[in-house]
Amino acid sequence: MDRELLIEAVKRQMPEKRYRHVAGVVDTAFMLAQRFGGDPDKAWLAALLHDYAKAWPTDRMERIIREQGLPPELLAYDKELWHAHVGAWAVREELGIADEEVLDAVRYHTSGRENMTLLDRIVCLADYMEPSRAFPGVERIRALAETSLNEALVAGFDSTIVHLLEKGKTVFPLTVLARNDLVREIRAAGTTIES
Ligand code: DGI
Ligand code: FE
Ligand code: FE
């Protein structure tokens, strides 16, 4: 499917305001891929598709999780997590997207996961910092992203985790694993032989 048709297919799934966010993630992911040595074409595609199912009704997402063999444990956690897995399933089914790297980046864009690929990281960070995002801490994330993909992403996950804790909500285990993994990677990168 060519780019224009994909864009039209994505636009049909969501209100105009949500598409403006998607367009911001597309531009940001493309820029981050160039900055950090990722594949700009895959970043463009994964970013375009990342919120494909975001505006779908909850009961539709729940049915797909149950009937299509998606991880049933999702149902015990915040509904906000569902659209990522459902979206990855849907773009394969409805748009014929077969690139597993792109599908994973869509699938894990909300929760993160252990051993995130470069593409996972780019899409997840772009989602946090695209220009229309405004939440406490977003400026720090943007500043860190000038030089460090991992440090910016940890700041993003930290802000989400703090927000969830303050609201008394559950935290999906993959988010904790993703965050710890990145912290260890940052630490290892900063460790010299002497220290
Ligand atoms: O779909 P978007 O709004 O663009 O952003 P997103 O896919 O990152 O969704 C983030 C929402 O998910 C955010 O409001 C927090 C909520 N959420 C609920 N539980 C968890 C969670 N996010 C993460 N990372 N981990 C959770 O356990
Ligand atoms: Fe999302
Ligand atoms: Fe998003």
Side-chain angles (χ1 to χ4, degrees), residues 13 53-64 82 86:
Q13 311 305 316
K54 179 77 178 184
W56 287 15
T58 305
D59 56 351
R60 183 176 179 194
M61 290 196 280
E62 181 174 345
R63 189 161 38 80
I64 290 168
W82 301 357
V86 172

Side-chain angles (χ1 to χ4, degrees), residues 1-13 19 22 44-46 48-49 52 91 94-97:
M1 209 184 274
D2 75 16
R3 283 186 169 201
E4 285 310 314
L5 285 174
L6 283 171
I7 290 168
E8 289 312 312
V10 169
K11 282 182 174 168
R12 280 197 295 276
Q13 311 305 316
Y19 184 74
V22 168
W44 184 92
L45 183 59
L48 177 72
L49 301 175
Y52 189 82
V91 300
E94 298 187 356
L95 308 179
I97 304 296

Side-chain angles (χ1 to χ4, degrees), residues 18-155:
R18 171 59 48 176
Y19 184 74
R20 282 202 291 277
H21 157 72
V22 168
V25 178
V26 167
D27 291 346
T28 306
F30 190 82
M31 183 263 297
L32 290 173
Q34 289 174 320
R35 185 178 297 167
F36 295 111
D39 180 329
D41 292 327
K42 288 195 189 208
W44 184 92
L45 183 59
L48 177 72
L49 301 175
H50 86 283
D51 274 342
Y52 189 82
K54 179 77 178 184
W56 287 15
T58 305
D59 56 351
R60 183 176 179 194
M61 290 196 280
E62 181 174 345
R63 189 161 38 80
I64 290 168
I65 291 169
R66 289 186 195 284
E67 293 175 2
Q68 303 298 328
L70 307 192
E73 64 269 24
L74 284 169
L75 299 171
Y77 291 91
D78 200 301
K79 296 175 176 58
E80 287 293 326
L81 291 156
W82 301 357
H83 72 283
H85 286 257
V86 172
W89 174 85
V91 300
R92 190 208 293 272
E93 287 297 308
E94 298 187 356
L95 308 179
I97 304 296
D99 184 329
E100 294 295 339
E101 234 187 303
V102 170
L103 294 172
D104 276 343
V106 174
R107 187 173 295 122
Y108 297 107
H109 85 265
T110 305
S111 63
R113 59 169 167 167
E114 238 170 342
N115 298 314
M116 290 176 78
T117 65
L118 180 56
L119 188 65
D120 291 352
R121 295 175 201 211
I122 286 169
V123 173
C124 193
L125 178 57
D127 198 14
Y128 274 114
M129 62 175 267
E130 63 92 5
S132 74
R133 285 289 202 211
F135 58 88
V138 71
E139 287 305 337
R140 176 159 176 271
I141 295 171
R142 291 188 181 118
L144 288 168
E146 291 292 324
T147 53
S148 173
L149 178 59
N150 288 347
E151 287 183 39
L153 198 47
V154 167

